[in-house]
Amino acid sequence: MKKAEIKLQVELDDANVPDKITWSSNDGESSDELPAKAMFLALWDSAYKNSMRIDLWTKDMPYDEMKRFFYETLQTLGDSFLRSSGGDPMAEKVIADLRDYCAHFADKMEVLEQQN
């Protein structure tokens, strides 16, 4: 069986605020550490039927990038749910609603205007 390792490193300042986040994987073309300014990690605990999460961002993460990060994360969560649903028609309807909300979020937070 093939195994892959994803490594996350977080450097903290004296107040335990993230200064630097890097990640690497041994399953890609390069195992170099790559920088990141923010991360959301969610794991499902099937024994307790709940999620465990780690949400971190560096203190130099700009607010406009954080808004874009949230928008893109919501969009990709919808993609992931669709892939996992096996073509469930109700999932497709619910994800359409999520897409509508993402458009609303992007409009209110002026996410897409910042891109241009």
Side-chain angles (χ1 to χ4, degrees):
M1 177 189 305
K2 182 178 177 180
K3 289 186 179 183
E5 180 179 73
I6 299 171
K7 181 179 170 185
L8 296 164
Q9 287 194 319
V10 180
E11 293 180 21
L12 305 172
D13 67 10
D14 293 337
N16 289 327
V17 174
D19 260 334
K20 183 178 175 184
I21 300 170
T22 58
W23 70 278
S24 63
S25 170
N26 67 354
D27 197 31
E29 292 180 19
S30 170
S31 60
D32 293 341
E33 288 186 357
L34 301 170
K37 293 215 180 228
M39 63 175 263
F40 296 144
L41 175 65
L43 303 167
W44 180 249
D45 183 333
S46 62
Y48 291 100
K49 304 290 187 237
N50 67 359
S51 60
M52 299 173 288
R53 300 176 347 155
I54 299 172
D55 304 334
L56 295 175
W57 53 94
T58 60
K59 55 187 168 187
D60 65 340
M61 173 77 167
Y63 181 55
D64 61 324
E65 288 182 25
M66 182 61 84
K67 293 187 298 185
R68 179 67 185 235
F69 182 47
F70 269 81
Y71 168 75
E72 290 190 12
T73 299
L74 289 170
Q75 291 277 41
T76 57
L77 283 171
D79 297 340
S80 296
F81 188 73
L82 276 179
R83 283 194 311 274
S84 70
S85 71
D88 178 7
M90 184 55 72
E92 291 183 21
K93 290 178 184 176
V94 170
I95 295 307
D97 290 342
L98 178 59
R99 298 272 185 251
D100 288 344
Y101 174 74
C102 288
H104 173 75
F105 178 89
D107 180 51
K108 291 294 183 189
M109 298 303 289
E110 300 177 342
V111 170
L112 300 179
E113 287 84 5
Q114 296 169 1
Q115 178 180 335
N116 298 332

